[in-house]
């Protein structure tokens, strides 16, 4: 079919129909809205002519007048053509050489996307991805918000437990401190007053420094007749237990000199 419009219908020629079917399947497979078609270079007229198309319109051997130069420059390898204008509108295209058994390029296979449609596709793709991202964010938020609330609730409960425990500790510490101070008053009651030292010694002092509020250390003083008995004692233990032992030991010294009449300090 060497002449223009020698084929006017897709089913007019078996070869045309076979190629038309293959191109249609390729268009559907690649989800293209625009037709796929073949182009043949007319050396004599220096112009491309249309061959087979994937749609039902037949432009058999119609000339492609305002073709982009990339088609001719890259016939051997094919490529892509960014935005360009032809007599049919504004397009973005990709093309690939069709070679015979000898490796000679006999035609081009081209697929187009109308530029406005391409922009809509890109915008829709961005919108779809944005919607997906938003949906993922919402999903993550729905998952994390209850988990975050649970963590915050547990943290608040832990803080409340800490405050309660701290209050209990403070109360216990106050009770213990009060008990120690009471033990101190008991211990001070058994220690001889400093005035007795002043009455019996012209120049005297007592240095008494407990490690804690109360301790097992104590001093003792007693006058029997013309004799003065002194003791600086260190009882086993410290704190309240040591203080209790010091009370016992002080009473033991009092009993030794007053009830048992012991006079030998050894």
């Amino acid at each position: 079919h060497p002449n223009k419009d020698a084929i006017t219908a897709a089913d007019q020629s078996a070869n045309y129909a076979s190629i038309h079917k293959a191109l249609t399947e390729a268009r559907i497979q690649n989800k293209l809205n625009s037709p796929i078609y073949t182009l043949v270079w007319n050396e004599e007229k220096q112009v491309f002519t249309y061959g087979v198309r994937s749609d039902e319109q037949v432009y058999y051997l119609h000339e492609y007048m305002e073709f982009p130069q990339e088609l001719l420059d890259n016939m051997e390898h094919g490529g892509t053509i960014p935005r360009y204008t032809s007599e049919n509108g504004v397009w973005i295209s990709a093309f690939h050489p069709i070679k015979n058994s000898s490796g000679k390029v006999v035609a081009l296979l081209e697929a187009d996307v109308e530029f406005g449609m391409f922009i809509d596709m890109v915008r829709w793709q961005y919108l779809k991805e944005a919607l997906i991202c938003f949906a993922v964010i919402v999903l993550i938020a729905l998952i994390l918000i209850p988990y975050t609330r649970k963590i915050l609730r547990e943290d608040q409960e832990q803080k409340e437990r800490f405050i309660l425990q701290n209050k209990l500790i403070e109360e216990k510490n106050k009770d213990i401190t009060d008990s120690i101070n009471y033990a101190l008053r008991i211990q001070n009651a058994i220690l001889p007053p400093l005035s007795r030292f002043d009455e019996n010694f012209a120049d005297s002092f007592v240095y008494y420094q407990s490690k804690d509020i109360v301790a097992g250390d104590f001093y003792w003083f007693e006058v029997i007749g013309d004799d003065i008995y002194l003791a600086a004692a260190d009882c086993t233990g410290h704190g309240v237990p040591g203080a209790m032992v010091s009370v016992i030991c002080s009473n033991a010294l009092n009993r030794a000199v007053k009830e048992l009449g012991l006079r030998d300090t050894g």
Side-chain angles (χ1 to χ4, degrees), residues 48-243:
F48 282 101
T49 57
Y50 290 97
V52 185
R53 294 170 60 91
S54 63
D55 58 355
E56 296 304 320
Q57 298 184 28
V58 179
Y59 294 147
Y60 188 69
L61 295 186
H62 283 217
E63 295 179 353
Y64 184 6
M65 302 301 295
E66 299 179 14
F67 63 87
Q69 186 63 32
E70 287 91 341
L71 286 176
L72 185 60
D73 294 342
N74 298 306
M75 283 184 63
E76 293 290 332
H77 308 289
T80 57
I81 308 172
R83 178 180 178 180
Y84 69 96
T85 303
S86 72
E87 65 266 29
N88 299 317
V90 183
W91 304 90
I92 293 176
S93 299
F95 63 98
H96 193 75
I98 301 174
K99 299 180 180 181
N100 60 16
S101 58
S102 301
K104 180 181 178 182
V105 177
V106 294
L108 293 177
L109 176 65
E110 184 171 357
D112 299 328
V113 176
E114 196 274 323
F115 186 74
M117 185 180 295
F118 170 75
I119 294 298
D120 291 340
M121 289 168 56
V122 171
R123 286 174 178 169
W124 167 243
Q125 184 67 25
Y126 278 128
L127 178 60
K128 184 169 67 174
E129 292 178 359
L131 289 174
I132 292 174
C133 290
F134 179 74
V136 170
I137 291 172
V138 171
L139 180 62
I140 293 174
L142 291 175
I143 295 173
L144 289 182
I145 287 175
Y147 180 71
T148 303
R149 286 178 177 173
K150 179 182 177 183
I151 292 177
L152 292 175
R153 185 170 58 253
E154 291 176 351
D155 184 63
Q156 182 62 30
E157 291 174 354
Q158 185 175 3
K159 286 181 179 178
E160 291 175 356
R161 286 196 300 269
F162 176 77
I163 292 173
L164 179 60
Q165 291 172 354
N166 190 55
K167 185 177 180 181
L168 292 174
I169 291 172
E170 289 178 353
E171 292 176 354
K172 294 294 183 182
N173 186 60
K174 183 177 182 301
D175 291 342
I176 293 171
T177 303
D178 290 345
S179 297
I180 292 174
N181 287 330
Y182 190 70
L184 176 63
R185 288 197 293 272
I186 295 173
Q187 188 177 51
N188 287 338
I190 68 165
L191 295 176
L194 298 180
S195 59
R196 294 194 65 190
F197 288 90
D198 295 334
E199 292 171 359
N200 292 277
F201 298 100
D203 188 11
S204 65
F205 73 93
V206 175
Y207 180 78
Y208 181 69
Q209 183 67 52
S210 301
K211 176 185 175 184
D212 300 312
I213 297 177
V214 290
D217 301 328
F218 72 96
Y219 55 93
W220 177 81
F221 179 96
E222 192 61 54
V223 179
I224 305 295
D226 294 330
D227 297 323
I228 299 175
Y229 295 88
L230 294 171
D234 181 4
C235 295
T236 301
H238 58 85
V240 174

Side-chain angles (χ1 to χ4, degrees), residues 6 13 31 40 45 69 89 138 215:
S13 165
K31 300 178 181 179
V40 179
K45 295 183 178 181
Q69 186 63 32
V138 171

Side-chain angles (χ1 to χ4, degrees), residues 19-29 53-56:
I19 300 172
H20 166 76
K21 180 180 179 182
L23 294 181
T24 301
E25 292 176 353
R27 181 189 64 78
I28 295 173
Q29 190 72 21
R53 294 170 60 91
S54 63
D55 58 355
E56 296 304 320

